[in-house]
Structure formats: structure tokens, C-alpha cells
Short mmCIF file of all heavy atoms in Angstrom, two decimals:
data_model
loop_
_atom_site.label_atom_id
_atom_site.label_comp_id
_atom_site.label_asym_id
_atom_site.label_seq_id
_atom_site.Cartn_x
_atom_site.Cartn_y
_atom_site.Cartn_z
N HIS A 1 -1.47 -2.28 6.30
CA HIS A 1 -0.51 -1.91 5.21
C HIS A 1 -0.51 -3.21 4.30
O HIS A 1 -0.58 -2.92 3.08
CB HIS A 1 0.87 -1.72 5.87
CG HIS A 1 2.04 -1.47 4.75
ND1 HIS A 1 2.46 -0.26 4.65
CD2 HIS A 1 2.61 -2.20 3.93
CE1 HIS A 1 3.35 -0.18 3.74
NE2 HIS A 1 3.53 -1.40 3.18
N GLN A 2 -0.31 -4.26 4.82
CA GLN A 2 -0.21 -5.53 3.80
C GLN A 2 -1.56 -5.83 3.10
O GLN A 2 -1.64 -6.16 1.95
CB GLN A 2 0.15 -6.72 4.62
CG GLN A 2 0.37 -8.00 3.82
CD GLN A 2 1.39 -7.87 2.70
OE1 GLN A 2 2.50 -7.28 2.95
NE2 GLN A 2 1.04 -8.18 1.40
N GLN A 3 -2.71 -5.69 3.83
CA GLN A 3 -3.95 -5.79 3.19
C GLN A 3 -4.23 -4.86 2.03
O GLN A 3 -4.70 -5.17 1.02
CB GLN A 3 -5.17 -5.66 4.25
CG GLN A 3 -5.29 -6.85 5.15
CD GLN A 3 -6.26 -6.48 6.27
OE1 GLN A 3 -6.51 -5.34 6.56
NE2 GLN A 3 -6.62 -7.64 7.00
N ALA A 4 -3.78 -3.70 2.27
CA ALA A 4 -3.96 -2.57 1.14
C ALA A 4 -3.10 -2.90 -0.11
O ALA A 4 -3.48 -2.90 -1.16
CB ALA A 4 -3.46 -1.23 1.65
N GLU A 5 -1.80 -3.46 0.20
CA GLU A 5 -1.06 -3.92 -1.07
C GLU A 5 -1.66 -5.08 -1.76
O GLU A 5 -1.61 -5.19 -2.93
CB GLU A 5 0.36 -4.01 -0.53
CG GLU A 5 1.06 -2.80 -0.12
CD GLU A 5 2.54 -2.85 -0.12
OE1 GLU A 5 3.14 -4.05 -0.19
OE2 GLU A 5 3.30 -1.79 -0.03
N SER A 6 -2.06 -5.93 -0.87
CA SER A 6 -2.58 -7.30 -1.52
C SER A 6 -3.80 -7.02 -2.39
O SER A 6 -4.03 -7.74 -3.38
CB SER A 6 -2.99 -8.28 -0.35
OG SER A 6 -1.82 -8.66 0.31
N LEU A 7 -4.66 -5.99 -2.01
CA LEU A 7 -5.73 -5.73 -2.85
C LEU A 7 -5.37 -5.35 -4.25
O LEU A 7 -6.08 -5.67 -5.21
CB LEU A 7 -6.47 -4.51 -2.17
CG LEU A 7 -7.86 -4.10 -2.63
CD1 LEU A 7 -8.82 -5.21 -2.44
CD2 LEU A 7 -8.25 -2.82 -1.97
N LEU A 8 -4.16 -4.69 -4.51
CA LEU A 8 -3.71 -4.40 -5.83
C LEU A 8 -3.00 -5.53 -6.44
O LEU A 8 -3.17 -5.86 -7.64
CB LEU A 8 -2.92 -3.04 -5.71
CG LEU A 8 -3.61 -1.89 -5.20
CD1 LEU A 8 -2.66 -0.74 -5.03
CD2 LEU A 8 -4.68 -1.47 -6.23
N THR A 9 -2.08 -6.15 -5.64
CA THR A 9 -1.19 -7.16 -6.31
C THR A 9 -1.99 -8.38 -6.64
O THR A 9 -1.73 -9.05 -7.53
CB THR A 9 -0.07 -7.60 -5.33
OG1 THR A 9 -0.64 -7.95 -4.07
CG2 THR A 9 0.87 -6.42 -5.11
N ASP A 10 -2.98 -8.65 -5.98
CA ASP A 10 -3.99 -9.88 -6.30
C ASP A 10 -4.68 -9.59 -7.56
O ASP A 10 -5.18 -10.60 -8.14
CB ASP A 10 -4.94 -10.10 -5.05
CG ASP A 10 -4.25 -10.59 -3.78
OD1 ASP A 10 -3.16 -11.03 -3.90
OD2 ASP A 10 -5.02 -10.73 -2.91
N ALA A 11 -4.74 -8.34 -8.02
CA ALA A 11 -5.41 -8.03 -9.25
C ALA A 11 -4.47 -7.94 -10.32
O ALA A 11 -4.81 -7.59 -11.47
CB ALA A 11 -6.19 -6.70 -9.16
N GLY A 12 -3.20 -8.33 -10.08
CA GLY A 12 -2.14 -8.35 -11.22
C GLY A 12 -1.53 -6.89 -11.42
O GLY A 12 -0.80 -6.86 -12.40
N LEU A 13 -1.66 -6.09 -10.44
CA LEU A 13 -1.08 -4.68 -10.65
C LEU A 13 0.20 -4.69 -9.92
O LEU A 13 0.49 -5.35 -8.82
CB LEU A 13 -2.04 -3.63 -10.11
CG LEU A 13 -3.29 -3.52 -10.80
CD1 LEU A 13 -4.19 -2.49 -10.12
CD2 LEU A 13 -3.24 -3.22 -12.34
N HIS A 14 1.16 -3.95 -10.37
CA HIS A 14 2.38 -3.75 -9.85
C HIS A 14 2.45 -2.40 -9.04
O HIS A 14 2.31 -1.32 -9.58
CB HIS A 14 3.68 -3.68 -10.88
CG HIS A 14 4.87 -3.40 -10.34
ND1 HIS A 14 5.65 -4.33 -9.57
CD2 HIS A 14 5.82 -2.42 -10.67
CE1 HIS A 14 6.86 -3.77 -9.20
NE2 HIS A 14 6.95 -2.66 -9.88
N ILE A 15 2.76 -2.50 -7.77
CA ILE A 15 2.78 -1.27 -6.89
C ILE A 15 4.10 -0.49 -7.17
O ILE A 15 5.19 -1.03 -7.03
CB ILE A 15 2.73 -1.57 -5.45
CG1 ILE A 15 1.36 -2.34 -5.11
CG2 ILE A 15 2.80 -0.40 -4.51
CD1 ILE A 15 1.08 -2.87 -3.83
N LEU A 16 3.93 0.78 -7.54
CA LEU A 16 4.96 1.65 -7.86
C LEU A 16 5.35 2.55 -6.63
O LEU A 16 6.55 2.77 -6.31
CB LEU A 16 4.62 2.66 -8.98
CG LEU A 16 4.33 1.89 -10.32
CD1 LEU A 16 3.85 2.96 -11.35
CD2 LEU A 16 5.53 1.15 -10.83
N ARG A 17 4.38 3.01 -5.88
CA ARG A 17 4.53 3.87 -4.68
C ARG A 17 3.45 3.51 -3.60
O ARG A 17 2.26 3.34 -4.00
CB ARG A 17 4.44 5.32 -5.03
CG ARG A 17 5.57 5.83 -5.89
CD ARG A 17 6.90 5.94 -5.19
NE ARG A 17 7.07 7.15 -4.47
CZ ARG A 17 7.14 7.14 -3.11
NH1 ARG A 17 7.04 6.08 -2.39
NH2 ARG A 17 7.23 8.33 -2.50
N HIS A 18 3.84 3.41 -2.42
CA HIS A 18 2.91 3.27 -1.28
C HIS A 18 3.36 4.40 -0.25
O HIS A 18 4.40 4.26 0.28
CB HIS A 18 3.07 1.83 -0.67
CG HIS A 18 2.01 1.62 0.37
ND1 HIS A 18 1.62 0.35 0.73
CD2 HIS A 18 1.28 2.53 1.17
CE1 HIS A 18 0.69 0.48 1.81
NE2 HIS A 18 0.48 1.79 2.03
N ILE A 19 2.46 5.38 -0.21
CA ILE A 19 2.80 6.51 0.46
C ILE A 19 1.84 6.63 1.64
O ILE A 19 0.68 6.35 1.68
CB ILE A 19 2.58 7.91 -0.24
CG1 ILE A 19 3.38 7.83 -1.59
CG2 ILE A 19 2.81 9.12 0.51
CD1 ILE A 19 2.95 8.88 -2.62
N GLU A 20 2.49 6.77 2.87
CA GLU A 20 1.76 6.98 4.27
C GLU A 20 2.45 7.96 5.07
O GLU A 20 3.61 8.15 4.93
CB GLU A 20 1.66 5.59 4.75
CG GLU A 20 2.92 5.05 5.18
CD GLU A 20 2.84 3.57 5.82
OE1 GLU A 20 1.86 2.93 5.54
OE2 GLU A 20 3.88 3.03 6.29
N PRO A 21 1.63 8.63 5.93
CA PRO A 21 2.20 9.56 6.91
C PRO A 21 2.85 8.84 8.00
O PRO A 21 2.80 7.58 8.01
CB PRO A 21 0.99 10.26 7.37
CG PRO A 21 -0.21 9.40 7.34
CD PRO A 21 0.20 8.57 6.08
N GLU A 22 3.54 9.53 8.88
CA GLU A 22 4.31 8.89 9.99
C GLU A 22 3.45 8.07 10.88
O GLU A 22 3.84 7.02 11.38
CB GLU A 22 5.06 9.95 10.76
CG GLU A 22 6.27 10.52 10.04
CD GLU A 22 7.15 11.47 10.89
OE1 GLU A 22 6.77 11.52 12.12
OE2 GLU A 22 8.00 12.15 10.42
N ASN A 23 2.17 8.54 11.12
CA ASN A 23 1.25 7.86 11.96
C ASN A 23 0.57 6.68 11.34
O ASN A 23 -0.18 5.97 11.97
CB ASN A 23 0.22 8.80 12.67
CG ASN A 23 -0.62 9.45 11.55
OD1 ASN A 23 -0.73 9.02 10.45
ND2 ASN A 23 -1.23 10.66 11.96
N ALA A 24 0.79 6.47 10.02
CA ALA A 24 0.21 5.32 9.16
C ALA A 24 -1.32 5.33 9.25
O ALA A 24 -1.88 4.26 9.29
CB ALA A 24 0.83 4.00 9.71
N TRP A 25 -1.90 6.40 9.29
CA TRP A 25 -3.38 6.55 9.44
C TRP A 25 -4.00 6.33 8.05
O TRP A 25 -5.17 5.98 7.94
CB TRP A 25 -3.89 7.91 9.88
CG TRP A 25 -3.78 8.05 11.41
CD1 TRP A 25 -3.09 7.28 12.22
CD2 TRP A 25 -4.27 9.21 12.23
NE1 TRP A 25 -3.36 7.77 13.60
CE2 TRP A 25 -3.96 8.92 13.58
CE3 TRP A 25 -4.94 10.32 11.87
CZ2 TRP A 25 -4.37 9.76 14.57
CZ3 TRP A 25 -5.39 11.21 12.81
CH2 TRP A 25 -5.04 10.87 14.25
#
């Protein structure tokens, strides 16, 4: 989860939504 978000924030982007199913697959 954190690696996915860092991929975007490290590029200077602001995360608006992070959607995942209950199993977080």
C-alpha cells in the first residue's frame, strides 16, 4: 500500500483516491 502511494507522491502528485478491495489484492 505504502509503496504504491510513494510511487506517485515522490513524483510530486497529490493522491485524491486510493481504492482497494477488502482483500487488498
Side-chain angles (χ1 to χ4, degrees):
H1 182 104
Q2 184 56 50
Q3 287 171 339
E5 293 201 346
S6 295
L7 193 59
L8 297 172
T9 56
D10 288 351
L13 300 176
H14 175 63
I15 295 175
L16 302 174
R17 295 288 276 113
H18 187 157
I19 302 166
E20 59 186 16
E22 289 186 8
N23 59 18
W25 280 11

